[in-house]
């Protein structure tokens, strides 16, 4: 494949060397003449393991060269990868001036090019940047239409400095955010020999995936450091604690708990977060990440309340109010907080949860239900159908299997607020998911 790479910094130089090593014809583009001269002399513009040897070999073979002429590179290639920097501004936003300038150059070249061309952004950009900056800039400069006259993709990279070549050939996943299927096909071919799952999705999802990855890595570092700080202050080896923690790949290092949805509750998580942050205060330690967990969890409860009250309906039906499906445990159930707020605001409610109904009769939570929340127990009905017949707004509070068919049977005049993803829809006129 003939590929042009815009930006010969860290990502661009690594991508150029690896793609040329894979047998592709690669031209690097950069306004910095020094970088261009280094590449053409078979030398690396960055410090990274193996890159120097790869560039020297591929320049000698004729598969890799560099230029300052953007139009020449676009006309000599079928695919352009944007790898320019997106530095932070003082307010934390991204400076997309380099991206915008490169898109202008590519677009101007596309104006004169008759054959189909794909532009793929590897630069890290906030969600909305592709639709708000990249595509309109390309379309204006080219006088052509993305998705028709040329293709546009977002193709985030997952390279770590120091191990970039290994990471390139062993990616955890290959994400292709595409405007249309035709645009994504060259990238599928490009990465076809890599042993990783290929995910084809929208450009917006691809943009967000990169930020989800990097922010999660940052959270992991901060979490481990705060656990280590508390451990050390308590006379415990924090490294040993986290080594044991990491042995658990069933829950700790896994996809479990990693699905967006409603707030957590129950007898363990809220209590144990409170206890550990109390211990940190007792040790005179500041642990801002751990201290932020319960306030963040409360914000999700507040979001649910806002979603419900913003619909303007007074008759609310709640399906499931134990803190999760398959249990009768109402201790610190976040949906109970929602119910009590709505009651206090004068809403008319009907509640159904089969496990809680049984607990009210014989279970361990009988005393709690009848004596601590009697105002809620009086609103409980015996069947899903009673809730569905009554409610103008239906709130799904946990993921019991029986609620899926109930949601699917909702009337057109009913609003469904799904806090746990029992339905595969995304938010529309009469369905609203808390994170989708």
């Amino acid at each position: 494949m003939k590929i042009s790479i815009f930006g010969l910094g860290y990502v661009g130089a690594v991508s150029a060397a690896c793609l040329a090593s894979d047998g592709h014809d690669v031209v690097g583009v950069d306004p910095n003449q020094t970088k261009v001269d280094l590449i053409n002399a078979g030398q690396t513009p960055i410090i990274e393991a193996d890159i120097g040897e790869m560039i020297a070999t591929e320049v000698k073979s004729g598969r890799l060269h560099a230029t300052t002429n953007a139009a020449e590179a676009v006309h000599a290639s079928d695919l352009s990868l944007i790898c320019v920097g997106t530095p932070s501004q003082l307010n934390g936003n991204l400076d997309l001036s380099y991206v915008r300038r490169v898109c202008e150059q590519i677009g101007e070249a596309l104006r004169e090019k008759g054959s189909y061309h794909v532009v793929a952004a590897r630069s890290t950009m906030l969600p909305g940047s592709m639709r708000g900056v990249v595509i309109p800039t390309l379309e204006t400069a080219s006088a052509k239409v993305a998705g028709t006259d040329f293709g546009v993709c977002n193709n985030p990279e997952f390279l770590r400095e120091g191990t970039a070549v290994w990471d390139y050939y062993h990616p955890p996943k290959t994400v292709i955010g595409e405007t249309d299927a035709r645009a994504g096909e060259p990238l599928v071919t490009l990465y076809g020999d890599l042993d990783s799952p290929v995910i084809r999705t929208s450009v917006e999802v691809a943009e967000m995936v990169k930020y989800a990855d990097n922010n999660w890595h940052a959270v992991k570092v901060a979490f481990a450091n705060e656990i280590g700080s508390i451990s050390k202050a308590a006379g415990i080896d924090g490294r040993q604690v986290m080594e044991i923690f990491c042995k658990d790949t069933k829950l700790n290092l896994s996809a479990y708990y990693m699905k967006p949805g409603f707030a957590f509750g129950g007898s363990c998580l809220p209590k144990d977060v409170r206890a550990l942050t109390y211990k940190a205060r007792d040790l005179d330690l500041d642990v801002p990440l751990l201290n932020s967990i319960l306030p963040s969890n409360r914000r999700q409860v507040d979001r649910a309340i806002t979603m419900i009250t913003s619909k303007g309906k007074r008759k609310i039906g709640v399906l499931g109010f134990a803190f999760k499906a398959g249990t009768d445990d109402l201790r610190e159930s976040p949906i109970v907080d929602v119910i009590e707020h709505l009651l206090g605001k004068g809403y008319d409610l009907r509640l159904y949860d089969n496990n809680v109904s049984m607990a009210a009769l014989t279970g361990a939570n009988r005393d709690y239900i009848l004596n601590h929340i009697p105002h809620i127990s009086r609103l409980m009905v015996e069947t899903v159908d009673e809730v569905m017949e009554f409610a103008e707004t239906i709130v799904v509070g946990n993921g019991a299997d029986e609620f899926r068919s109930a949601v699917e049977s909702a009337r057109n005049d009913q609003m469904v607020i799904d806090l746990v993803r029992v339905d595969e829809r995304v938010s529309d006129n009469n369905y609203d998911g808390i994170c989708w």
Side-chain angles (χ1 to χ4, degrees):
M1 194 178 299
K2 297 182 184 298
I3 304 165
S4 52
I5 296 180
F6 284 76
L8 293 175
Y10 182 79
V11 173
V14 171
S15 299
C18 292
L19 288 167
S21 296
D22 290 342
H24 302 287
D25 292 324
V26 179
V27 51
V29 186
D30 201 288
N32 187 318
Q33 188 66 53
T34 300
K35 290 183 179 181
V36 169
D37 291 343
L38 283 170
I39 292 284
N40 289 333
Q43 300 176 41
T44 176
I46 65 169
I47 303 300
E48 179 64 37
D50 302 321
I51 287 297
E53 296 86 348
M54 294 172 72
I55 289 176
T57 298
E58 298 314 318
V59 169
K60 185 176 181 179
S61 74
R63 284 191 291 268
L64 174 62
H65 74 281
T67 182
T68 59
N69 191 319
E72 172 188 297
V74 171
H75 285 287
S77 60
D78 305 306
L79 169 66
S80 293
L81 301 181
I82 298 175
C83 300
V84 298
T86 55
S88 287
Q89 297 178 337
L90 291 177
N91 65 359
N93 195 15
L94 296 182
D95 179 357
L96 296 182
S97 58
Y98 301 116
V99 171
R100 186 176 286 105
R101 179 58 186 145
V102 162
C103 288
E104 290 171 348
Q105 294 173 336
I106 295 172
E108 289 165 3
L110 290 179
R111 182 186 288 261
E112 307 300 326
K113 185 174 182 179
S115 58
Y116 182 77
H117 194 90
V118 173
V119 181
R122 302 211 85 195
S123 301
T124 302
M125 292 180 285
L126 287 168
S129 300
M130 294 294 293
R131 301 282 183 189
V133 175
V134 172
I135 291 175
T137 304
L138 288 168
E139 290 183 330
T140 299
S142 66
K144 295 182 177 181
V145 178
T148 301
D149 302 314
F150 62 92
V152 179
C153 293
N154 185 271
N155 176 218
E157 47 80 21
F158 305 100
L159 308 177
R160 296 168 296 171
E161 294 187 35
T163 60
V165 173
W166 192 93
D167 289 342
Y168 179 90
Y169 287 111
H170 303 85
K173 55 188 175 289
T174 297
V175 180
I176 302 170
E178 55 195 20
T179 54
D180 58 280
R182 185 185 181 192
E185 284 301 324
L187 291 171
V188 173
T189 301
L190 195 68
Y191 303 123
D193 292 334
L194 298 179
D195 184 18
S196 71
V198 175
I199 300 103
R200 302 178 71 171
T201 184
S202 69
V203 293
E204 291 84 1
V205 169
E207 288 171 313
M208 191 63 187
V209 162
K210 176 69 172 182
Y211 280 92
D213 278 34
N214 281 354
N215 280 266
W216 174 233
H217 299 327
V219 166
K220 288 187 289 185
V221 172
F223 175 80
N225 287 342
E226 291 191 1
I227 293 296
S229 296
I230 296 172
S231 298
K232 180 177 175 62
I236 300 165
D237 182 348
R239 296 284 288 197
Q240 186 178 5
V241 170
M242 290 308 296
E243 284 172 6
I244 295 171
F245 172 93
C246 291
K247 299 291 185 184
D248 180 355
T249 57
K250 184 176 181 180
L251 296 179
N252 290 349
L253 304 182
S254 72
Y256 210 79
Y257 297 121
M258 295 296 288
K259 302 292 190 295
F262 195 36
F264 63 75
S267 61
C268 295
L269 299 189
K271 173 178 71 70
D272 290 348
V273 172
R274 277 195 295 269
L276 190 60
T277 52
Y278 170 82
K279 181 66 174 179
R281 291 194 302 274
D282 188 50
L283 294 168
D284 291 327
L285 291 174
D286 183 21
V287 285
L289 178 66
L290 294 174
N291 284 335
S292 72
I293 293 173
L294 290 178
S296 176
N297 198 54
R298 178 65 213 181
R299 296 297 182 277
Q300 204 70 342
V301 175
D302 295 340
R303 289 187 187 99
I305 292 170
T306 299
M307 288 172 65
I308 297 166
T309 57
S310 67
K311 306 309 177 188
K313 308 293 186 181
R314 304 301 297 181
K315 293 183 176 181
I316 312 297
V318 178
L319 299 177
F321 57 101
F323 86 95
K324 67 177 182 179
T327 178
D328 62 356
D329 197 346
L330 295 173
R331 287 172 292 180
E332 302 208 46
S333 173
I335 194 66
V336 170
D337 283 352
V338 173
I339 292 167
E340 291 187 319
H341 176 91
L342 295 174
L343 284 174
K345 294 296 183 180
Y347 285 82
D348 193 3
L349 283 86
R350 298 292 184 274
L351 319 174
Y352 171 79
D353 190 311
N354 186 51
N355 289 315
V356 175
S357 297
M358 290 190 293
L361 296 174
T362 60
N365 278 334
R366 175 180 170 83
D367 176 72
Y368 181 84
I369 295 167
L370 298 181
N371 296 314
H372 290 78
I373 54 170
H375 52 301
I376 289 179
S377 65
R378 286 193 291 268
L379 302 172
M380 292 167 54
V381 297
E382 295 184 359
T383 67
V384 172
D385 290 343
E386 290 176 78
V387 171
M388 299 300 293
E389 290 171 7
F390 163 82
E392 296 171 317
T393 296
I394 301 155
V395 180
V396 185
N398 67 43
D401 291 340
E402 61 186 314
F403 300 153
R404 182 181 302 276
S405 58
V407 167
E408 291 173 351
S409 67
R411 304 187 307 267
N412 291 333
D413 64 335
Q414 290 177 311
M415 185 71 207
V416 174
I417 294 179
D418 189 351
L419 304 180
V420 292
R421 194 60 154 159
V422 296
D423 195 291
E424 293 302 314
R425 286 178 288 174
V426 294
S427 297
D428 57 27
N429 292 331
N430 68 337
Y431 173 86
D432 204 357
I434 192 167
C435 289
W436 47 89

